[in-house]
């Protein structure tokens, strides 16, 4: 998978992809992440990327030209499955969408700032608009990092234990059950007996029961999805 991220703040995204699972995914050649500074594509003599909005009102709008030129350049090099704009008024990101996007080959992510991007980009270039939650960030970069992390970890071979992504919360519309590690007794707080029983079937049943209980208690809305 290849992900191209268009941003006016590329340095903000240097960190999240340089460590741990995302670093390893890139080193193993399972995914490529490329950052593009939108400003580099501006034909404006001051390298401007934003301007006042037509009709007046507070807040700047990101101009169509630099972003359109950057997308055109990338599209001239390969086909893209989606051009995704990160925006609080997009469709809410969830595990099912992450699963779907992890199967794509090439994605472009566009990070907005200020009042957002010129509507004509959304009308003519963007194929999908995604929000990571009902709150407003100061730009799309952190949302792009969240989206990238949530999909790259699902690419086969990225996680060491292939099954671990399958047992994440939400994968089957259930929250994950509690987990424990050594010691089995810490100051009298004991690990549930079943987990040290060695009985694989009982352990599986206990985990499923716990997952259902936790989901009923915290996220009953998930149970009505099925
Ligand atoms: N940009 C600003 N806030 C955002 C959000 N909640 N989701 C995606 N992109 C955003």
């Amino acid at each position: 998978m290849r992900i191209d991220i268009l941003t006016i703040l590329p340095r903000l995204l240097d960190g999240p992809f340089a460590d741990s699972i995302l670093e390893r995914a890139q080193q193993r050649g399972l995914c490529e992440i490329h950052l593009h500074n939108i400003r580099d594509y501006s034909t404006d003599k001051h390298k401007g990327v934003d301007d006042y909005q037509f009709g007046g009102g507070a807040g700047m709008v990101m101009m169509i030209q630099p972003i359109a030129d950057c997308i055109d350049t990338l599209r001239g090099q390969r086909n893209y499955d989606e051009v995704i704009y990160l925006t609080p008024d997009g469709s809410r990101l969830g595990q099912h969408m992450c699963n779907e996007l992890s199967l794509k080959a090439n994605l472009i992510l566009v990070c907005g700032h200020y009042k957002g991007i010129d509507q004509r980009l959304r009308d003519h270039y963007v194929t999908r608009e995604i929000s990571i939650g009902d709150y407003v960030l100061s730009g799309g970069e952190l949302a792009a990092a969240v989206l990238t992390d949530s999909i790259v970890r699902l690419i086969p071979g990225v996680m060491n234990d292939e099954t671990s992504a399958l047992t994440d919360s939400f994968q089957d519309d259930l929250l994950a059950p509690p987990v424990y590690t050594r010691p089995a007794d810490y100051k009298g707080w004991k690990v549930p007996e079943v987990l040290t029983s060695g009985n694989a079937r009982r352990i599986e049943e206990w985990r499923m029961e716990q997952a259902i209980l936790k989901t009923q208690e915290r996220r009953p809305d998930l149970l009505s999805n099925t």
Side-chain angles (χ1 to χ4, degrees), residues 4 112 147 150 162:
D4 290 273
L147 178 64
S150 65
E162 278 274 3

Side-chain angles (χ1 to χ4, degrees), residues 85-89 112 130-141 143-144:
Y85 175 45
L86 284 311
T87 175
D89 58 2
I130 297 179
S131 161
I132 63 160
D134 289 346
Y135 43 84
V136 179
L137 301 164
S138 44
E141 284 75 13

Side-chain angles (χ1 to χ4, degrees), residues 53 57-62 85 87 112-118 122:
Q53 39 178 321
M60 307 291 269
V61 174
M62 289 177 73
Y85 175 45
T87 175
H113 269 267
Y114 321 113
K115 282 280 160 201
I117 60 174
D118 190 300
R122 299 174 74 161

Side-chain angles (χ1 to χ4, degrees), residues 6-107:
L6 280 53
T7 167
I8 55 167
L9 300 173
R11 272 192 320 176
L12 204 54
L13 288 170
D14 282 342
F17 307 137
D19 252 303
S20 186
I21 290 179
L22 269 79
E23 181 193 30
R24 204 171 59 220
Q26 293 172 87
Q27 282 171 349
R28 288 183 181 169
L30 297 168
C31 102
E32 283 180 38
I33 300 169
H34 297 270
L35 303 177
H36 304 275
N37 191 338
I38 292 169
R39 207 172 287 284
D40 293 343
Y41 290 82
S42 173
T43 53
D44 180 78
K45 64 174 181 292
H46 303 295
K47 291 278 171 206
V49 290
D50 59 314
D51 212 332
Y52 296 101
Q53 39 178 321
F54 281 121
M60 307 291 269
V61 174
M62 289 177 73
M63 293 154 80
I64 188 167
Q65 178 274 318
I67 296 176
D69 282 3
C70 182
I71 297 175
D72 286 340
T73 303
L74 291 170
R75 276 187 171 159
Q77 294 162 356
R78 68 195 62 77
N79 289 324
Y80 284 89
D81 299 287
E82 302 269 6
V83 176
I84 298 171
Y85 175 45
L86 284 311
T87 175
D89 58 2
S91 310
R92 181 94 66 84
L93 181 66
Q95 194 62 47
H96 294 284
M97 200 190 284
C98 299
N99 293 348
E100 185 202 333
L101 291 173
S102 74
L103 301 173
K104 308 283 186 191
N106 299 311
L107 299 174

